[in-house]
Amino acid sequence: GVKVVMVTGDHPDTARAIATRINILHGAHDLESEQLHGAEDFSVITGTMLESRVPKADNFTDDEAPEIVNWWKKATQHTRVFARVSPIHKQVIVQAYQKYGYGGVGDICAMTGDGVNDAPALKQAEVGVAMGIRGTEVAKDAADIVLQNDNFASIIDGIEQGRLCSANLRKSIMYTLCSKMPQFAPTVAMVFGIPSALTIAQVLLIDIGTDILTAIAFAFQPPEANLMARAPRHPKLVKLADWGVGVYSYLYIGMLQSFFCWAMFFHVPGLVAVWKQSGAGPYDYAQKETILQGRSVYYWTLVLGQIAAAIAASNERQSLLTHRFSNKVLNVALLLELVLGLVSLYAEFMQSAFSTTWIPWDLAVKPFAALVGIIAVDELRKATLRGCEQGHIRDWCSGAARARGEGAAEGDFSAFPGEP
């Protein structure tokens, strides 16, 4: 996911020797040079070669000459060393990668530097990284990140933390959206004469009372085992909350929740008879009590369904048997969600406020089928996904399907098979 390029003011021979020693270059006859015609001509580029290929304005535009565009596309694809460059050349190189890299989509660039002459490039890059020990104050002011130990390898830790934050935010979004399908379904069902299964107050109780704490708890989720082995998500190609999030939340977990909610709702004794006799209303006193009990069961099933959704979304690939509830903050949030759901059913002050009622123990236990069922189905999905990654269709499962030629990677569609 990361391509390292050396940009230096040193002599080309010196730069080539150092780059070869640290494996940035692999020699003049490496595999890439053999496979890609002309790649060896771009292995090391000097500042004099850049003089006639700088942009017309302050940055590259769509009006650049075709020969310049083609040259930079080859340079951003094959070049690993730029030598004898000036400070302005460093900025131009970053601009070129941002404009022509990644098959013409544009690379996401991080620039490291410690001197005053590195400041323009540090400012130009998406992420400027300055050295904390030997770096100048000018470089530190221009940078976004300062390495306190001046260790280049520390950047890897930063990348991992960035991926973790992105992955956890994605998980939080997926979890939050899961309940929207079973919350919306009762409104549509009333059009067909089905009694109201969920009130607005109960929807707010789920969204504000329980889901917020659980969604925040995803920020403390530890990284999955293969986080750094996955293909990166290019933000210009794949958004954080892409269509795959909708598929996972609405059409997968949301539909499973809806199924269990309606199954438990119609399992309430007498509710089917009320539906056949009175449809969407009006109802007599006995019928209202039956419907009130049905709403309580629907709400309780949805609470358990959201707990299952949180457990399922906490890890995109790892099995529950592997991570074993490693996020303690999330565990506390789920416990509070469970307690609030029970209090809403059996505390009188909550019953009057949220249109719930006491339900017998059998109707309170049976909805746990939603908790077990959703987790079991998702465990099967994860097992299938892990099996795909280990087989011949690894790229399809990891979302790293790369177009050939000048195409670019599609991104990381890791939340759901076939999806950023």
Side-chain angles (χ1 to χ4, degrees):
V2 177
K3 178 173 64 177
V4 179
V5 177
M6 177 189 293
V7 182
T8 178
D10 292 336
H11 190 277
D13 292 339
T14 304
R16 185 189 297 273
I18 295 175
T20 302
R21 183 174 180 180
I22 60 178
N23 289 327
I24 293 179
L25 284 178
H26 302 288
H29 302 287
D30 61 0
L31 181 61
E32 181 184 59
S33 297
E34 293 175 0
Q35 292 179 339
L36 301 172
H37 177 68
E40 63 274 10
D41 298 334
F42 287 88
S43 60
V44 178
I45 289 179
T46 61
T48 54
M49 300 169 64
L50 301 179
E51 289 296 340
S52 60
R53 296 179 174 92
V54 296
K56 298 177 182 179
D58 294 335
N59 203 337
F60 289 99
T61 65
D62 295 333
D63 298 327
E64 302 296 335
E67 58 271 17
I68 293 179
V69 173
N70 292 332
W71 188 89
W72 274 115
K73 284 185 176 181
K74 291 182 180 179
T76 54
Q77 182 180 4
H78 304 308
T79 304
R80 292 297 179 268
V81 176
F82 292 87
R84 284 293 193 204
V85 295
S86 65
I88 192 62
H89 286 158
K90 294 180 180 181
Q91 184 179 15
V92 170
I93 291 169
V94 174
Q95 292 172 342
Y97 275 97
Q98 292 172 331
K99 178 69 174 178
Y100 304 116
Y102 212 72
V105 177
D107 282 311
I108 304 302
C109 296
M111 179 72 183
T112 62
D114 56 6
V116 175
N117 60 348
D118 296 319
L122 290 171
K123 199 70 175 179
Q124 178 67 41
E126 276 82 4
V127 181
V129 183
M131 302 297 109
I133 299 175
R134 65 177 184 274
T136 63
E137 292 302 320
V138 175
K140 294 177 183 178
D141 290 340
D144 302 292
I145 299 174
V146 177
L147 295 182
Q148 297 295 336
N149 59 359
D150 283 14
N151 187 352
F152 186 80
S154 298
I155 297 176
I156 299 175
D157 297 330
I159 294 173
E160 182 178 14
Q161 190 62 37
R163 287 194 178 190
L164 176 61
C165 292
S166 178
N168 286 348
L169 179 57
R170 181 182 174 88
K171 293 174 183 178
S172 179
I173 294 173
M174 289 192 300
Y175 162 77
T176 304
L177 295 178
C178 285
S179 63
K180 301 303 174 271
M181 184 64 72
Q183 288 175 351
F184 176 70
T187 303
V188 177
M190 290 180 65
V191 177
F192 300 94
I194 298 177
S196 174
L198 200 66
T199 66
I200 296 177
Q202 290 170 348
V203 171
L204 293 176
L205 181 60
I206 292 173
D207 288 345
I208 300 176
T210 57
D211 280 3
I212 287 182
L213 294 177
T214 307
I216 294 175
F218 276 98
F220 300 91
Q221 185 70 20
E224 295 187 46
N226 61 345
L227 178 65
M228 293 296 288
R230 300 179 191 173
R233 176 185 62 87
H234 198 299
K236 293 182 181 180
L237 293 176
V238 182
K239 303 303 180 183
L240 180 65
D242 67 334
W243 67 273
V245 172
V247 170
Y248 180 92
S249 300
Y250 296 138
L251 301 182
Y252 173 47
I253 298 295
M255 292 301 292
L256 287 174
Q257 289 180 339
S258 298
F259 168 77
F260 283 107
C261 285
W262 284 117
M264 295 299 113
F265 177 75
F266 286 112
H267 191 71
V268 173
L271 201 144
V272 174
V274 172
W275 173 31
K276 291 180 178 179
Q277 294 174 7
S278 304
Y283 310 108
D284 58 30
Y285 178 79
Q287 290 175 331
K288 288 181 179 179
E289 288 298 315
T290 301
I291 293 174
L292 188 61
Q293 194 170 75
R295 288 175 182 168
S296 300
V297 172
Y298 191 101
Y299 162 78
W300 175 236
T301 306
L302 182 52
V303 169
L304 294 176
Q306 276 298 88
I307 293 176
I311 296 173
S314 62
N315 282 276
E316 296 177 356
R317 288 170 168 82
Q318 282 186 265
S319 170
L320 177 63
L321 300 177
T322 302
H323 68 82
R324 298 179 181 178
F325 301 97
S326 54
N327 187 347
K328 296 181 180 179
V329 178
L330 180 61
N331 297 339
V332 173
L334 295 180
L335 181 60
L336 292 176
E337 190 168 347
L338 186 65
V339 171
L340 181 59
L342 291 172
V343 171
S344 302
L345 293 176
Y346 297 104
E348 293 185 3
F349 71 95
M350 294 289 282
Q351 291 175 348
S352 58
F354 296 100
S355 300
T356 58
T357 188
W358 181 91
I359 58 176
W361 70 269
D362 59 322
L363 292 180
V365 172
K366 289 177 180 178
F368 276 91
L371 176 65
V372 177
I374 293 174
I375 292 177
V377 171
D378 198 64
E379 283 295 302
L380 179 62
R381 178 191 71 85
K382 292 175 182 177
T384 303
L385 187 58
R386 291 193 301 271
C388 290
E389 290 182 332
Q390 296 172 3
H392 297 292
I393 52 177
R394 176 190 303 270
D395 287 347
W396 177 81
C397 292
S398 65
R402 299 181 183 276
R404 301 308 179 198
E406 295 185 353
E410 292 296 330
D412 177 17
F413 305 113
S414 58
F416 194 83
E419 348 164 350

